[in-house]
Amino acid sequence: MKVLFVSWELAPFFKLGGLGDISKSLPKALSSIGVDIRVIVPFYKVFKFFGQRKKKVNEFFLDYDGKKNRIEIYQISFLDEDIPVYLLKNADYLSIPFDDTFPFFNLAITKIIEKDLLKWTPEIIHCNDHHTGLIPFLIKHNGLPFKTLFTIHNLIFQGQQLVDKIEKMGIDSKKCRVLRWEIKKRQINFLTEAIIHTDLINTVSPTYAKEILTEEYGAGLDEILNSKKDKIYGILNGIDYDFGSPLKDKNIIYHYKADSQTTDNYPQKIYSVIEGKKLNKLYLQEKLGLSVNEKIPLFGFIGRFDAKQKGLDIMHKMLRRLNFNKYQFVFLGHGDENWETRYFWFSSFYPKSVYCRFEFNEKLASQIYAAADFLLIPSKFEPCGLIQMIAMRYGTLPIARATGGLKDSIEDGVDGFLFDDYSSSDLERKLKFAIKIWREDKKRYHQMVKVAMNKDFSWDKSAKEYLSLYQKLLEQ
Ligand code: ADP
C-alpha cells in the first residue's frame, strides 16, 4: 500500500504545534506496520536540517498565476528512519508562507503525482488540514485515479481565500465544482472544498468527530459535515515514545521512571517518580524565581495563547479569585498579545507564585512537564490535544475540560481530572478537588500518577486504525 502524506509542518524541522508532531510520528508508525509511506512538505526558509543531507531528485515547471515556476524536489531521510521526505523548493511561493503558498503547493502535489515525478506512484493521498484542502478537489477536477483521506486536525482553521486562487491555478472558476455561495462572496474555503471532494474524512479523536456535527463545535461547517456524516471517522492521536520520556529527556536534569519500569541499562541516575518530580520541581522553582517549596502545588500551562480555543478567559477569571500564597503557576505559550499582557500582569504582581514565558521553548516545556504537579487544559474545544498525553507520561496529572480528545484520553479521577462546564467556577472546583487529593490522600494521588504514566498512548493502535481506513479507501 502506497501513501503520500502531505503536510505543511513537520517536527523537528518545522513545528508550530501538534500537527508537526503528528506528521513525524504517524508516518513512522504506519511504516512500521508495512505501509509504504512518504511525506511531502514545502521547503521553507526556516527549515532546520539538524545535519541531515538533502539530495535533489527532480525538478519541474508549474504554471501558476500566468507564469512558469521552477520547483525543485529534494529528498531527505526521516531522521533515523527510512522514510523518504520530499521538500518542494520554490523561492517565490514556498519559502515564506503567504496566501498563495497553499494553492501553489496543492497544485504542485497534484502535478507531481500525475506526472510520476517521484518515480513512485501513491495509491492514496493523505491530506492534513486546510493547507492541503484543494488537493481532493484538484484530483477530482482532473479525473486522476487517486484516493484521498482528509484529516481535520482543527476545524477552526479553514483557509479562506479569494476565488482568484482558482483562476491562478489555471481553472475557470465558473466551470468547476467549488462551492457556489462561497464564490459569490468571492471567497473559497479550503476546508469546505476538502470536505466536499475527499473520499473519506477523519478527525483526531472519536469525540471531536461527533462534536463537529453540532452547531456549537461545527465552526459554521456543521451542515456540510452532517451531509457527509457517513464518511467521517475519529482516530485518537498518539505520542512518539522514542522521544519525550522522563527517562531520556535531555532537557530535564533529574530523570525518573514509573514504578513498574526497569532501568538497569541507563547510563544516568534514574529516580523514582516521586523523588524525580520533587527534584525537578525544586529546580524549576529556583530557576524561575518562584518560592522554593515542594509543599506548594505547582500548575503548568503549555500551549498556544489562543483565546478562542485554549480557555484563557476562564483560567484568567479563576486566577483573579485565587490566593497566590497557596498556589504556583507557570504559563508557557504565545499568541494573543492582549491575553499575554493580562497574564503577565499576574507574574509582575506575584513573581514568587506566577511565572510567564511567551515563546516557543521546548526545553522549558520539558521542564514544566517534569516539575509540575498538574497541567491545566481548560480548552473550550480540543480536537485531540497532545499535552495531556505528554503530561501523563511525565506523571503530571491533567486538569482538563471534558471535550474532544481530552475526554477520550483522560479518565476522570483515575488518571487525571475532567470538568464539564466551560466556566471558571467548574475549573476552580476541579482544581481544588485535585489539590485536596494531592495533599490529603497521597495513596490515591500516587496511584493516579502510576496509572497515568503507564497508560498506552503509543501510535500502534491509531496506526492500525488508519491502516483500516486506507483499506476502506482502496475497496471503494
Ligand atoms: P495544538 O496542536 O492545538 O497546538 P497540542 O496539544 O495538540 O496543541 O500540541 C501542542 C504541542 O506543541 C505539544 O507537543 C506541546 O508540548 C507543544 N507546545 C505548545 N506550545 C509550546 C511552547 N510555547 N513551547 C514549547 N512547546 C510547545
Side-chain angles (χ1 to χ4, degrees), residues 15-19 21 154 302-304 309-310 332-334 359-362 365 369 382 385-387 390:
K15 165 177 157 175
L16 297 175
L19 180 58
D21 289 325
N154 195 335
I302 300 170
R304 291 178 293 109
Q309 180 178 351
K310 299 290 180 184
L332 171 66
H334 65 110
E359 63 183 23
F360 194 89
N361 185 327
E362 290 197 342
Y369 285 126
E382 196 60 72
L386 299 177
I387 43 174
I390 305 172

mmCIF file of all heavy atoms in Angstrom, residues 15-19 21 154 302-304 309-310 332-334 359-362 365 369 382 385-387 390, ligand 1:
data_model
loop_
_atom_site.group_PDB
_atom_site.id
_atom_site.type_symbol
_atom_site.label_atom_id
_atom_site.label_comp_id
_atom_site.label_asym_id
_atom_site.label_seq_id
_atom_site.Cartn_x
_atom_site.Cartn_y
_atom_site.Cartn_z
ATOM 1 N N LYS A 15 7.999 23.168 13.185
ATOM 2 C CA LYS A 15 6.846 22.790 14.007
ATOM 3 C C LYS A 15 6.240 24.013 14.680
ATOM 4 O O LYS A 15 6.948 24.810 15.280
ATOM 5 C CB LYS A 15 7.303 21.784 15.068
ATOM 6 C CG LYS A 15 6.302 21.576 16.200
ATOM 7 C CD LYS A 15 6.736 20.522 17.193
ATOM 8 C CE LYS A 15 6.045 20.746 18.530
ATOM 9 N NZ LYS A 15 6.300 19.723 19.518
ATOM 10 N N LEU A 16 4.918 24.130 14.575
ATOM 11 C CA LEU A 16 4.221 25.202 15.280
ATOM 12 C C LEU A 16 3.346 24.637 16.390
ATOM 13 O O LEU A 16 3.067 25.292 17.375
ATOM 14 C CB LEU A 16 3.340 25.999 14.322
ATOM 15 C CG LEU A 16 4.060 26.741 13.197
ATOM 16 C CD1 LEU A 16 3.063 27.389 12.271
ATOM 17 C CD2 LEU A 16 4.986 27.795 13.787
ATOM 18 N N GLY A 17 2.879 23.420 16.229
ATOM 19 C CA GLY A 17 2.002 22.817 17.236
ATOM 20 C C GLY A 17 1.898 21.327 17.001
ATOM 21 O O GLY A 17 2.830 20.695 16.467
ATOM 22 N N GLY A 18 0.731 20.774 17.370
ATOM 23 C CA GLY A 18 0.549 19.329 17.313
ATOM 24 C C GLY A 18 0.720 18.708 15.926
ATOM 25 O O GLY A 18 1.232 17.596 15.806
ATOM 26 N N LEU A 19 0.322 19.452 14.878
ATOM 27 C CA LEU A 19 0.409 18.883 13.521
ATOM 28 C C LEU A 19 1.846 18.481 13.163
ATOM 29 O O LEU A 19 2.071 17.446 12.530
ATOM 30 C CB LEU A 19 -0.153 19.889 12.494
ATOM 31 C CG LEU A 19 -0.129 19.463 11.027
ATOM 32 C CD1 LEU A 19 -0.904 18.169 10.793
ATOM 33 C CD2 LEU A 19 -0.684 20.570 10.138
ATOM 34 N N ASP A 21 4.141 17.424 15.203
ATOM 35 C CA ASP A 21 4.453 16.159 15.900
ATOM 36 C C ASP A 21 3.830 14.981 15.157
ATOM 37 O O ASP A 21 4.450 13.935 14.980
ATOM 38 C CB ASP A 21 3.858 16.176 17.328
ATOM 39 C CG ASP A 21 4.595 17.144 18.244
ATOM 40 O OD1 ASP A 21 5.810 17.272 18.085
ATOM 41 O OD2 ASP A 21 3.945 17.763 19.104
ATOM 42 N N ASN A 154 -7.967 20.510 13.109
ATOM 43 C CA ASN A 154 -8.647 21.575 13.839
ATOM 44 C C ASN A 154 -9.587 22.290 12.882
ATOM 45 O O ASN A 154 -9.142 22.940 11.931
ATOM 46 C CB ASN A 154 -7.622 22.556 14.424
ATOM 47 C CG ASN A 154 -8.252 23.449 15.470
ATOM 48 O OD1 ASN A 154 -9.460 23.682 15.468
ATOM 49 N ND2 ASN A 154 -7.436 23.947 16.387
ATOM 50 N N ILE A 302 0.869 24.763 29.047
ATOM 51 C CA ILE A 302 1.736 24.808 27.858
ATOM 52 C C ILE A 302 0.833 24.806 26.638
ATOM 53 O O ILE A 302 0.020 23.893 26.466
ATOM 54 C CB ILE A 302 2.661 23.563 27.792
ATOM 55 C CG1 ILE A 302 3.569 23.486 29.025
ATOM 56 C CG2 ILE A 302 3.498 23.571 26.510
ATOM 57 C CD1 ILE A 302 4.331 22.173 29.168
ATOM 58 N N GLY A 303 0.940 25.830 25.805
ATOM 59 C CA GLY A 303 0.101 25.794 24.603
ATOM 60 C C GLY A 303 0.006 27.140 23.939
ATOM 61 O O GLY A 303 0.437 28.161 24.484
ATOM 62 N N ARG A 304 -0.571 27.122 22.752
ATOM 63 C CA ARG A 304 -0.773 28.362 22.022
ATOM 64 C C ARG A 304 -1.691 29.274 22.832
ATOM 65 O O ARG A 304 -2.668 28.820 23.416
ATOM 66 C CB ARG A 304 -1.421 28.067 20.664
ATOM 67 C CG ARG A 304 -0.499 27.340 19.713
ATOM 68 C CD ARG A 304 -1.168 27.010 18.382
ATOM 69 N NE ARG A 304 -2.226 26.032 18.501
ATOM 70 C CZ ARG A 304 -3.514 26.276 18.372
ATOM 71 N NH1 ARG A 304 -3.931 27.492 18.115
ATOM 72 N NH2 ARG A 304 -4.424 25.322 18.495
ATOM 73 N N GLN A 309 -9.738 29.018 21.693
ATOM 74 C CA GLN A 309 -9.681 27.578 21.949
ATOM 75 C C GLN A 309 -9.216 27.176 23.342
ATOM 76 O O GLN A 309 -9.749 26.242 23.947
ATOM 77 C CB GLN A 309 -8.757 26.915 20.904
ATOM 78 C CG GLN A 309 -8.643 25.408 21.097
ATOM 79 C CD GLN A 309 -7.772 24.735 20.054
ATOM 80 O OE1 GLN A 309 -7.366 25.353 19.078
ATOM 81 N NE2 GLN A 309 -7.488 23.469 20.261
ATOM 82 N N LYS A 310 -8.187 27.841 23.841
ATOM 83 C CA LYS A 310 -7.429 27.244 24.943
ATOM 84 C C LYS A 310 -7.918 27.599 26.346
ATOM 85 O O LYS A 310 -7.273 27.263 27.342
ATOM 86 C CB LYS A 310 -5.943 27.580 24.792
ATOM 87 C CG LYS A 310 -5.313 27.042 23.499
ATOM 88 C CD LYS A 310 -5.177 25.520 23.500
ATOM 89 C CE LYS A 310 -4.544 25.010 22.213
ATOM 90 N NZ LYS A 310 -4.473 23.553 22.129
ATOM 91 N N LEU A 332 3.458 28.801 29.757
ATOM 92 C CA LEU A 332 4.357 28.841 28.600
ATOM 93 C C LEU A 332 3.525 28.776 27.331
ATOM 94 O O LEU A 332 2.758 27.823 27.127
ATOM 95 C CB LEU A 332 5.329 27.648 28.641
ATOM 96 C CG LEU A 332 6.175 27.456 27.379
ATOM 97 C CD1 LEU A 332 7.150 28.623 27.169
ATOM 98 C CD2 LEU A 332 6.959 26.145 27.443
ATOM 99 N N GLY A 333 3.670 29.806 26.510
ATOM 100 C CA GLY A 333 2.926 29.784 25.245
ATOM 101 C C GLY A 333 2.958 31.166 24.641
ATOM 102 O O GLY A 333 3.355 32.125 25.310
ATOM 103 N N HIS A 334 2.573 31.266 23.390
ATOM 104 C CA HIS A 334 2.488 32.612 22.835
ATOM 105 C C HIS A 334 1.368 32.689 21.820
ATOM 106 O O HIS A 334 0.836 31.682 21.379
ATOM 107 C CB HIS A 334 3.823 33.062 22.241
ATOM 108 C CG HIS A 334 4.233 32.251 21.054
ATOM 109 N ND1 HIS A 334 4.240 32.742 19.787
ATOM 110 C CD2 HIS A 334 4.627 30.972 20.960
ATOM 111 C CE1 HIS A 334 4.636 31.796 18.962
ATOM 112 N NE2 HIS A 334 4.864 30.711 19.638
ATOM 113 N N GLU A 359 6.795 32.384 24.541
ATOM 114 C CA GLU A 359 7.605 31.975 23.393
ATOM 115 C C GLU A 359 7.462 30.470 23.201
ATOM 116 O O GLU A 359 6.890 29.783 24.060
ATOM 117 C CB GLU A 359 9.085 32.324 23.612
ATOM 118 C CG GLU A 359 9.678 31.583 24.792
ATOM 119 C CD GLU A 359 11.135 31.966 25.097
ATOM 120 O OE1 GLU A 359 11.561 33.057 24.710
ATOM 121 O OE2 GLU A 359 11.820 31.146 25.733
ATOM 122 N N PHE A 360 7.995 29.974 22.100
ATOM 123 C CA PHE A 360 8.041 28.523 21.894
ATOM 124 C C PHE A 360 9.376 28.052 22.443
ATOM 125 O O PHE A 360 10.427 28.468 21.982
ATOM 126 C CB PHE A 360 7.921 28.198 20.403
ATOM 127 C CG PHE A 360 7.616 26.753 20.155
ATOM 128 C CD1 PHE A 360 6.309 26.310 20.103
ATOM 129 C CD2 PHE A 360 8.642 25.827 20.001
ATOM 130 C CE1 PHE A 360 6.014 24.967 19.891
ATOM 131 C CE2 PHE A 360 8.361 24.480 19.792
ATOM 132 C CZ PHE A 360 7.042 24.061 19.734
ATOM 133 N N ASN A 361 9.335 27.210 23.472
ATOM 134 C CA ASN A 361 10.577 26.841 24.148
ATOM 135 C C ASN A 361 10.479 25.382 24.597
ATOM 136 O O ASN A 361 9.856 25.068 25.617
ATOM 137 C CB ASN A 361 10.757 27.795 25.338
ATOM 138 C CG ASN A 361 12.068 27.586 26.051
ATOM 139 O OD1 ASN A 361 12.585 26.460 26.123
ATOM 140 N ND2 ASN A 361 12.604 28.653 26.596
ATOM 141 N N GLU A 362 11.058 24.484 23.792
ATOM 142 C CA GLU A 362 10.897 23.048 24.071
ATOM 143 C C GLU A 362 11.581 22.639 25.362
ATOM 144 O O GLU A 362 11.107 21.759 26.080
ATOM 145 C CB GLU A 362 11.424 22.221 22.909
ATOM 146 C CG GLU A 362 10.511 22.361 21.706
ATOM 147 C CD GLU A 362 10.688 21.304 20.641
ATOM 148 O OE1 GLU A 362 11.725 20.631 20.630
ATOM 149 O OE2 GLU A 362 9.776 21.175 19.811
ATOM 150 N N ALA A 365 9.377 23.651 28.168
ATOM 151 C CA ALA A 365 8.186 22.790 28.140
ATOM 152 C C ALA A 365 8.497 21.459 28.829
ATOM 153 O O ALA A 365 7.757 21.008 29.715
ATOM 154 C CB ALA A 365 7.727 22.557 26.699
ATOM 155 N N TYR A 369 6.723 19.911 32.173
ATOM 156 C CA TYR A 369 6.100 18.578 32.229
ATOM 157 C C TYR A 369 6.682 17.777 33.398
ATOM 158 O O TYR A 369 5.978 17.051 34.085
ATOM 159 C CB TYR A 369 6.351 17.797 30.932
ATOM 160 C CG TYR A 369 5.528 18.234 29.734
ATOM 161 C CD1 TYR A 369 6.141 18.579 28.530
ATOM 162 C CD2 TYR A 369 4.138 18.280 29.791
ATOM 163 C CE1 TYR A 369 5.397 18.964 27.415
ATOM 164 C CE2 TYR A 369 3.383 18.657 28.677
ATOM 165 C CZ TYR A 369 4.015 19.002 27.498
ATOM 166 O OH TYR A 369 3.272 19.380 26.405
ATOM 167 N N GLU A 382 -11.072 20.876 21.960
ATOM 168 C CA GLU A 382 -9.719 20.328 21.778
ATOM 169 C C GLU A 382 -9.827 19.101 20.877
ATOM 170 O O GLU A 382 -10.230 18.032 21.333
ATOM 171 C CB GLU A 382 -9.126 19.964 23.139
ATOM 172 C CG GLU A 382 -7.621 19.758 23.149
ATOM 173 C CD GLU A 382 -6.827 20.997 22.705
ATOM 174 O OE1 GLU A 382 -6.760 21.984 23.474
ATOM 175 O OE2 GLU A 382 -6.302 20.957 21.593
ATOM 176 N N GLY A 385 -5.377 17.076 21.229
ATOM 177 C CA GLY A 385 -4.511 17.523 22.314
ATOM 178 C C GLY A 385 -3.428 16.485 22.550
ATOM 179 O O GLY A 385 -3.724 15.292 22.707
ATOM 180 N N LEU A 386 -2.204 16.952 22.561
ATOM 181 C CA LEU A 386 -1.089 16.043 22.862
ATOM 182 C C LEU A 386 -0.563 16.314 24.263
ATOM 183 O O LEU A 386 -0.001 15.427 24.907
ATOM 184 C CB LEU A 386 0.049 16.248 21.851
ATOM 185 C CG LEU A 386 -0.299 15.983 20.385
ATOM 186 C CD1 LEU A 386 0.879 16.302 19.492
ATOM 187 C CD2 LEU A 386 -0.735 14.535 20.193
ATOM 188 N N ILE A 387 -0.754 17.540 24.729
ATOM 189 C CA ILE A 387 -0.135 17.936 26.003
ATOM 190 C C ILE A 387 -0.592 17.062 27.166
ATOM 191 O O ILE A 387 0.194 16.743 28.045
ATOM 192 C CB ILE A 387 -0.392 19.427 26.324
ATOM 193 C CG1 ILE A 387 -1.832 19.779 26.018
ATOM 194 C CG2 ILE A 387 0.565 20.334 25.622
ATOM 195 C CD1 ILE A 387 -2.204 21.157 26.436
ATOM 196 N N ILE A 390 1.378 13.828 26.945
ATOM 197 C CA ILE A 390 2.782 14.019 27.345
ATOM 198 C C ILE A 390 2.843 14.201 28.864
ATOM 199 O O ILE A 390 3.661 13.576 29.550
ATOM 200 C CB ILE A 390 3.410 15.244 26.623
ATOM 201 C CG1 ILE A 390 3.261 15.118 25.106
ATOM 202 C CG2 ILE A 390 4.865 15.415 27.021
ATOM 203 C CD1 ILE A 390 3.669 16.356 24.311
HETATM 204 P P1 ADP B 1 -2.213 22.336 19.346
HETATM 205 O O1 ADP B 1 -1.978 21.375 18.212
HETATM 206 O O2 ADP B 1 -3.623 22.837 19.461
HETATM 207 O O3 ADP B 1 -1.229 23.458 19.347
HETATM 208 P P2 ADP B 1 -1.476 20.095 21.034
HETATM 209 O O4 ADP B 1 -1.699 19.823 22.456
HETATM 210 O O5 ADP B 1 -2.048 19.100 20.083
HETATM 211 O O6 ADP B 1 -1.973 21.554 20.724
HETATM 212 O O7 ADP B 1 0.093 20.139 20.724
HETATM 213 C C1 ADP B 1 0.916 21.089 21.230
HETATM 214 C C2 ADP B 1 2.360 20.632 21.051
HETATM 215 O O8 ADP B 1 3.205 21.773 20.981
HETATM 216 C C3 ADP B 1 2.862 19.819 22.237
HETATM 217 O O9 ADP B 1 3.919 18.989 21.801
HETATM 218 C C4 ADP B 1 3.392 20.917 23.177
HETATM 219 O O10 ADP B 1 4.365 20.431 24.091
HETATM 220 C C5 ADP B 1 4.000 21.867 22.169
HETATM 221 N N1 ADP B 1 3.973 23.279 22.580
HETATM 222 C C6 ADP B 1 2.912 24.109 22.562
HETATM 223 N N2 ADP B 1 3.273 25.346 22.953
HETATM 224 C C7 ADP B 1 4.594 25.280 23.221
HETATM 225 C C8 ADP B 1 5.559 26.247 23.664
HETATM 226 N N3 ADP B 1 5.235 27.515 23.887
HETATM 227 N N4 ADP B 1 6.824 25.829 23.824
HETATM 228 C C9 ADP B 1 7.167 24.547 23.589
HETATM 229 N N5 ADP B 1 6.313 23.596 23.175
HETATM 230 C C10 ADP B 1 5.032 23.953 22.982
#
